[in-house]
Amino acid sequence: MTNECRLTLHSNKLASFLLAILSVRSGDRQCQAKSDLSDLAPPPPAGWASSVSMTLAQLKYVSLGVLVLQTTSLVLTMRYSRTLQDEGPRYLASSAVVSAELLKILACTLLVFKEHSYSVRALNRVLAEEIFNKPMETLKLAIPSGIYTLQNNLLYVALSHLDAATYQVTYQLKILTTALFSVSMLGRRLGVYQWLSLLILMAGVALVQWPSEFPAIPEQKELSAGSQLVGVVAVLVACCSSGFAGVYFEKILKETKQSVWVRNIQLGLFGLVFGLMGVFVYDGERVRESGMFQGYNRITWMVVALQALGGLVIAAVIKYADNILKGFATSLSIILSTLISYFWLQDFDPTSIFFLGAVLVIVATFLYGYEAKPSPNPSRA
């Protein structure tokens, strides 16, 4: 070791740090500064790794609880609000969609505000640069936003004609539509387990929709069959729109470096415009008669909050939950929806065929999230 090297090593800690980097890059192993570098970064305390792993495990189960709670509560409260017998007019589904978009825009704006250290000037600059000064980038989100608005309205239609359990199981077809759009639009390749799970999923949903016994009165039988058909069609269209819009939105996020919260503000702005158009086209007369917020109560506002903030909550916690845990959350949500729909809402009479279909859907959900051992040429969604 040369005298110059020794002088440099003992001059100060900053010099030793720089010299260590240079020695590694040049391959010169004569100048070792391990002792000095250890002073710069003291070792973590004992038990630190185990405490971190315990914290991550706790976050996983918290994520599981949040996913189950959000998914189940949204479906059940939406179904309850659409079947609740109350005095006065029932709230407009189109109005609830607009209210949810407004709440989502507000929440995302607050998150961007927090990201920029609660600076109003920084918030205004970001919104101006990313939304108003880039009109073409903003216009790209008009397509998924319009589809999401359609989907949100369809969910109200579906839960007005289907019980919560049937809706929950049937809506899992969005896994199929998302997978197919991912293959066609993003060029992804599905593995054997994924294709097998999609086949099982289709079989399970078909069994859930298997015709059951209707009331003996012909009028009631015709009404029940027609009502259920409307609900099923609404769910199927919602699954297709969910799959396409989700993959399209993912493609846009990968092509740009914008914050996901800014993107959600853009989606919300277009959704607000499309939602207001739907209000005045389909419910304009009722709005003129009784107002836009007619029939609103605590349950309605709860539905609006769950629909607006639910997706944001999931986006915040999903990074802590792996695919198996997400499948477990979906399964628990289906089971809870079935039990509550049967015992509390009393609008669902399960059959053995329904249970068989529900089990197949749960198995397909787990199987789709199964990660096989890596192969020389792995391909999975």
Side-chain angles (χ1 to χ4, degrees), residues 145-161:
S145 179
I147 296 175
Y148 277 133
T149 304
L150 172 64
Q151 173 192 337
N152 290 333
N153 281 278
L154 287 172
L155 297 186
Y156 283 98
V157 175
L159 282 167
S160 298
H161 296 85

Side-chain angles (χ1 to χ4, degrees), residues 2-61:
T2 63
N3 293 331
E4 182 181 357
C5 181
R6 290 175 181 171
L7 289 173
T8 306
L9 282 172
H10 293 288
S11 59
N12 53 54
K13 292 179 180 180
L14 179 60
S16 65
F17 179 71
L18 295 174
L19 186 59
I21 297 176
L22 291 174
S23 65
V24 171
R25 295 186 63 181
S26 62
D28 183 7
R29 298 185 180 180
Q30 294 179 355
C31 297
Q32 299 293 333
K34 293 182 180 179
S35 60
D36 292 332
L37 288 173
S38 64
D39 294 335
L40 290 174
W48 177 79
S50 60
S51 63
V52 170
S53 61
M54 288 180 61
T55 302
L56 291 177
Q58 292 173 352
L59 285 174
K60 276 190 173 185
Y61 290 107

Side-chain angles (χ1 to χ4, degrees), residues 259-325:
S259 167
V260 66
W261 307 126
V262 174
R263 284 301 195 186
N264 274 283
I265 293 175
Q266 295 171 315
L267 278 176
L269 291 174
F270 281 113
L272 183 61
V273 173
F274 291 130
L276 287 173
M277 290 172 58
V279 169
F280 290 105
V281 169
Y282 295 104
D283 298 312
E285 185 176 350
R286 296 177 62 183
V287 169
R288 286 188 291 270
E289 291 177 356
S290 304
M292 186 169 177
F293 298 102
Q294 57 182 287
Y296 272 55
N297 52 33
R298 293 181 180 178
I299 300 298
T300 308
W301 284 113
M302 187 182 300
V303 172
V304 169
L306 286 171
Q307 190 174 29
L309 304 179
L312 303 181
V313 171
I314 292 177
V317 303
I318 204 71
K319 62 181 179 180
Y320 300 113
D322 53 23
N323 286 327
I324 301 300
L325 205 62

Side-chain angles (χ1 to χ4, degrees), residues 58-165:
Q58 292 173 352
L59 285 174
K60 276 190 173 185
Y61 290 107
V62 169
S63 303
L64 171 64
V66 171
L67 288 171
V68 173
L69 180 63
Q70 191 275 335
T71 306
T72 307
S73 57
L74 175 60
V75 172
L76 292 174
T77 53
M78 190 180 291
R79 170 64 178 174
Y80 181 71
S81 68
R82 300 307 291 171
T83 57
L84 178 64
Q85 298 296 329
D86 200 1
E87 296 181 359
R90 181 175 296 172
Y91 75 93
L92 304 176
S94 57
S95 170
V97 171
V98 171
S99 300
E101 293 296 340
L102 281 171
L103 188 56
K104 184 174 71 172
I105 292 172
L106 177 61
C108 291
T109 303
L110 291 176
L111 289 170
V112 175
F113 186 50
K114 179 180 178 295
E115 283 183 349
H116 292 82
S117 303
Y118 302 99
S119 172
V120 177
R121 180 178 298 178
L123 174 65
N124 292 333
R125 177 178 53 80
V126 169
L127 295 181
E129 289 181 357
E130 300 297 337
I131 297 178
F132 301 106
N133 294 342
K134 297 179 180 179
M136 297 307 299
E137 291 294 326
T138 302
L139 283 174
K140 288 181 180 180
L141 291 173
I143 295 177
S145 179
I147 296 175
Y148 277 133
T149 304
L150 172 64
Q151 173 192 337
N152 290 333
N153 281 278
L154 287 172
L155 297 186
Y156 283 98
V157 175
L159 282 167
S160 298
H161 296 85
L162 292 176
D163 57 84

